[in-house]
Amino acid sequence: MSNGHAPATTPEPRSTLVVTAHAGDFVWRAGGAIALAAARGEKVTIACLTFGERGESAKAWREGRKLDEIKAIRRDEAERAAAVLGADVRFFDAGDYPLVESAELTDRLVTVYRDTQPDVVLTHPVDDPYNGDHPAANRMALQARVLAQAIGYPGEGEIIGAPPVFYFEPHQPEMSGFKPEVLLDITEVWDTKREAMECLGAQQHLWAYYTDLAVRRGVQLKRNAGPNLGLAHNTMAEAYMRPYPQIAKELA
């Protein structure tokens, strides 16, 4: 018998979209943010534009592997890493070194935006003089975000809002104009990120580098947070930049 009240509805979980150039990028740069979101029950989708088969798989090439075999290796690594982090990964297989921007590829990203309706977007920063694929991914990610908001842009799915964008840290931050504006405490999921990193055997040389980076960013986080927040002695962190203004009703 009805009591006259409308049935309670379960709100949709928050959604995070990660647009990444290569199969390993989302792990090194944003694995902590992904794991934190997934641990909160949020939906995380990774749009992986390439497998990094040509430019970021030197070990496999030295072993004499063929192109299709290398793609399969990197796909398997990325799928296992995404599963560890709690995310869904979609592969575009657009080809790296170079990753060529195109209207068709941007349109495919628009479809992902409208399908996932992200509350937050993570992607590469604007500049990276060491790897042109990363800025290319950035430009397409931002362009697709704008197009996905436009009611007149053709394609399936509902238009999106204006999700905030966070740029994750490049490998050479000092040379890429990267300034850590947001320090994210990933201590509680560090072991998960490290496990995901260890799925990437093709880039094993980066395991120690990104562990050390998390330690350094953790030190910076504690210094900026002050002594009274009860942060762990071994705080681990990731750094991000914001290309758009933060929206707030009070300053904090």
Side-chain angles (χ1 to χ4, degrees):
M1 183 174 178
S2 173
N3 60 8
H5 296 292
T9 58
T10 303
E12 286 290 321
R14 280 173 55 86
S15 171
T16 295
L17 175 62
V18 185
V19 181
T20 175
H22 308 113
D25 293 336
F26 69 90
V27 181
W28 313 122
R29 294 159 170 79
I34 293 169
L36 282 171
R40 293 191 297 264
E42 299 178 16
K43 178 177 67 174
V44 184
T45 305
I46 301 161
C48 188
L49 301 182
T50 85
F51 297 113
E53 65 271 12
R54 295 190 181 276
E56 301 197 347
S57 304
K59 180 175 179 286
W61 285 105
R62 293 191 184 104
E63 292 172 349
R65 309 275 190 171
K66 303 300 183 184
L67 180 61
D68 287 347
E69 188 178 9
I70 293 171
K71 284 186 177 183
I73 290 170
R74 298 311 310 274
R75 181 185 188 114
D76 175 69
E77 290 181 350
E79 287 178 336
R80 287 189 288 113
V84 168
L85 296 173
D88 173 57
V89 59
R90 305 184 188 186
F91 299 102
F92 284 54
D93 193 13
D96 70 324
Y97 277 60
L99 169 61
V100 179
E101 297 172 63
S102 70
E104 184 270 339
L105 195 53
T106 302
D107 184 67
R108 289 174 64 188
L109 277 174
V110 170
T111 299
V112 174
Y113 271 95
R114 289 183 171 178
D115 179 50
T116 60
Q117 294 289 312
D119 296 284
V120 174
V121 176
L122 310 180
T123 193
H124 298 270
V126 173
D127 296 318
D128 190 337
Y130 295 95
N131 194 319
D133 290 0
H134 297 160
N138 164 278
R139 290 188 291 269
M140 287 187 285
L142 295 190
Q143 175 75 332
R145 174 183 174 274
V146 171
L147 297 177
Q149 296 176 62
I151 194 169
Y153 186 84
E156 297 181 359
E158 296 294 325
I159 61 171
I160 67 169
V165 177
F166 292 85
Y167 292 163
F168 42 64
E169 184 166 4
H171 191 65
Q172 300 279 5
E174 300 87 351
M175 302 300 295
S176 302
F178 182 88
K179 183 176 181 180
E181 297 171 338
V182 178
L183 293 168
L184 179 68
D185 186 347
I186 63 168
T187 309
E188 66 183 84
V189 295
W190 168 250
D191 289 343
T192 302
K193 177 172 179 175
R194 177 70 194 202
E195 183 182 350
M197 286 165 53
E198 291 179 2
C199 293
L200 304 178
Q203 294 177 288
Q204 186 171 344
H205 61 287
L206 294 178
W207 296 359
Y209 176 91
Y210 281 98
T211 298
D212 291 344
L213 180 60
V215 171
R216 295 198 303 276
R217 294 309 187 197
V219 170
Q220 293 173 342
L221 186 152
K222 287 194 294 183
R223 182 173 180 83
N224 284 277
N228 300 319
L229 294 183
L231 296 173
H233 174 69
N234 60 335
T235 299
M236 309 292 269
E238 290 173 344
Y240 294 86
M241 288 182 67
R242 299 194 64 152
Y244 301 114
Q246 178 179 348
I247 306 303
K249 292 187 177 181
E250 63 179 274
L251 296 179

